[in-house]
Amino acid sequence: MELLMNGEFLQMIADTRGELDNIRKWINAGNQFDSKTRYLISYAVIKASGTVEVIFKNMIYNCLSDGANEKAKGYFEKTIIDSSCNPNAGNMSNMLQNISSEWKTLFDQQVKQSGEKDKLNSLVQLRNDFAHGDSISVSIDTVIKYFDSAVKILNILDNVCT
């Protein structure tokens, strides 16, 4: 998978993937039934989803604010960066619709072709379930698979916005 994102986003992805890999190593080192495993998987879901959210919002902000005046940048920051928005494919698509219907259409087509939409949405749903008091009952391998799918969608978003 070729990543064309800026270095800051690539570093955030690498850092998160490293944390997820370290959690997997610890669990697979004979700690599957340790009481901490459940908490580490919950943390992994939050970390993975949070990273996707920060990158998605900043990616769109960077695209729109490039060359904008300070007032416009302030507005974009308040409406994009500071917004409460789950990083699922539908919300990404809706945000793009508010900017350009062409971007939305292109994004939707490429996401559909990728086959990764359900995995991203499952990651976000796991985060929401945990945030609302439910237990998370997935493996760390599943969390990593969902995160990798989310990164593919972020790459699509980046290609659409540039």
Side-chain angles (χ1 to χ4, degrees):
M1 159 180 40
E2 183 182 357
L3 298 176
L4 304 173
M5 294 176 231
N6 78 33
E8 178 187 359
F9 298 153
L10 293 174
Q11 188 61 54
M12 291 173 69
I13 289 167
D15 291 348
T16 298
R17 189 58 159 78
E19 282 190 57
L20 299 178
D21 286 339
N22 286 337
I23 291 169
R24 177 170 45 195
K25 285 178 194 168
W26 183 84
I27 290 170
N28 291 341
N31 296 304
Q32 295 90 337
F33 303 109
D34 188 290
S35 62
K36 295 177 199 78
T37 298
R38 181 172 73 123
Y39 301 108
L40 285 171
I41 292 173
S42 297
Y43 168 79
V45 166
I46 301 294
K47 178 67 176 182
S49 182
T51 298
V52 173
E53 181 176 356
V54 167
I55 291 172
F56 134 67
K57 288 178 177 180
N58 277 282
M59 194 177 286
I60 291 176
Y61 169 82
N62 289 350
C63 182
L64 292 176
S65 66
D66 187 35
N69 66 39
E70 290 308 309
K71 289 179 183 175
K73 287 180 182 181
Y75 175 78
F76 295 145
E77 186 173 338
K78 287 177 185 148
T79 58
I80 297 169
I81 302 291
D82 297 343
S83 70
S84 176
C85 180
N86 282 318
N88 60 42
N91 285 340
M92 290 180 188
S93 178
N94 290 339
M95 193 173 287
L96 289 174
Q97 175 64 41
N98 292 333
I99 300 164
S100 164
S101 59
E102 292 173 20
W103 284 5
K104 178 199 184 306
T105 301
L106 186 59
F107 176 78
D108 290 347
Q109 289 170 345
Q110 290 183 18
V111 167
K112 184 176 182 180
Q113 290 172 350
S114 76
E116 305 295 343
K117 179 180 176 178
D118 290 343
K119 294 178 193 101
L120 166 62
N121 291 346
S122 293
L123 176 65
V124 173
Q125 187 59 52
L126 285 170
R127 178 177 83 166
N128 290 343
D129 290 347
F130 182 70
H132 294 281
D134 293 337
S135 296
I136 294 176
S137 59
V138 297
S139 69
I140 188 63
D141 290 329
T142 298
V143 175
I144 291 171
K145 179 175 67 173
Y146 289 171
F147 180 70
D148 289 345
S149 293
V151 170
K152 290 175 185 174
I153 290 178
L154 287 172
N155 201 42
I156 291 169
L157 179 65
D158 189 49
N159 288 328
V160 167
C161 291
T162 54

